[in-house]
Amino acid sequence: MMQQGRPVLPLGTPLHEDNPTDAIQIVLQGLHPPVGRAGPTMPPFADSSTDSQLAELTAYLRSRYSDRPAWRDLPAAVAKARKEHAA
């Protein structure tokens, strides 16, 4: 299913996973289609957002686009993901 040429957010995203790491990494690093192919894109937010902002955004996305319970300790998960991204 597509909306205005874009896939519906709850489909094909890590928002339904038990661990928030993949969702956090997408927000940190952005999303880019494979070279030469069209696909969804999103800019990275690692340099323009604080850990607190990223934790709040990730929590919102999970609650808005998933029927799963909230992830626990998102601020720590964001800090860990940012550290791994920087390495």
Side-chain angles (χ1 to χ4, degrees), residues 31-83:
L31 186 62
H32 309 283
V35 175
R37 295 182 60 194
T41 61
M42 184 181 85
F45 290 94
D47 295 336
S48 62
S49 302
T50 66
D51 287 0
S52 177
Q53 289 170 326
L54 293 173
E56 288 179 25
L57 174 62
T58 307
Y60 167 76
L61 292 171
R62 171 78 163 194
S63 68
R64 173 67 174 88
Y65 296 104
S66 168
D67 59 356
R68 305 288 309 273
W71 285 309
R72 295 179 182 236
D73 202 12
L74 274 174
V78 170
K80 180 180 177 189
R82 188 186 292 274
K83 188 180 225 182

